[in-house]
Amino acid sequence: MSPPEATIWPMIAHVALVFCLYLLLSSRRMGAVREGRAQPDQFRENREEPAESLVVKNAIANQFELPVLFYAVSILLYLVDADNTVTVAGGWLFVALRYVHAYVHVTSNRLRYRRPLFIAGLLVVMLLWIWLGVWLAMT
């Protein structure tokens, strides 16, 4: 049996990823301004985002799509006491996939690599939701 807070740690690790992406976005935007490829006012209304910061901006947006379902199921698993070693491992697997997905997104941005990572994460979250439904149906 895993410790009660074990379900929360993957969520904290994902939040750390989001913070790192925000720092990277800021760094790339400042670099574009410093090198004269962008003006600060471009970012006020998100006009003409430089390509190197646009991929980071999109990677951040992606962290608020599927991961929302991950947070919801993780919290619900914790609240109804349906979390266990397997669901915690699933949480860590999902977060690891999000880290690799984000890395691909902000480097090569090759869909050939990003898509399977996204689908794998989607399947993990689907399985967590299915487990939650089974748990609720059995209790």
Side-chain angles (χ1 to χ4, degrees):
M1 194 61 152
S2 57
E5 70 281 356
T7 298
I8 297 169
W9 283 107
M11 291 186 283
I12 292 171
H14 182 259
V15 169
L17 169 63
V18 173
F19 289 153
C20 288
L21 287 170
Y22 274 117
L23 291 172
L24 180 61
L25 177 64
S26 179
S27 172
R28 288 196 180 176
R29 283 179 170 177
M30 288 186 332
V33 169
R34 192 172 32 257
E35 294 168 9
R37 292 179 287 106
Q39 297 298 313
D41 65 339
Q42 285 179 239
F43 305 114
R44 185 176 301 126
E45 295 177 16
N46 291 321
R47 294 180 295 115
E48 303 172 27
E49 182 90 33
E52 68 271 13
S53 59
L54 179 61
V55 294
V56 181
K57 181 180 167 193
N58 289 341
I60 291 169
N62 197 259
Q63 301 309 318
F64 293 95
E65 295 169 357
L66 181 59
V68 170
L69 295 175
F70 166 68
Y71 284 106
V73 75
S74 295
I75 292 166
L76 290 170
L77 287 167
Y78 179 79
L79 289 176
V80 300
D81 208 25
D83 55 341
N84 56 45
T85 304
V86 174
T87 61
V88 170
W92 281 114
L93 176 59
F94 176 77
V95 171
L97 289 164
R98 296 310 301 167
Y99 268 81
V100 178
H101 182 271
Y103 175 78
V104 171
H105 207 153
V106 301
T107 57
S108 71
N109 201 19
R110 302 263 322 260
L111 290 177
R112 174 182 181 187
Y113 303 117
R114 268 183 45 210
R115 185 174 186 274
L117 292 164
F118 175 82
I119 290 171
L122 174 66
L123 292 174
V124 170
V125 171
M126 286 174 59
L127 289 171
L128 291 172
W129 277 100
I130 289 168
W131 169 247
L132 177 62
V134 168
W135 176 268
L136 292 173
M138 292 179 11
T139 57

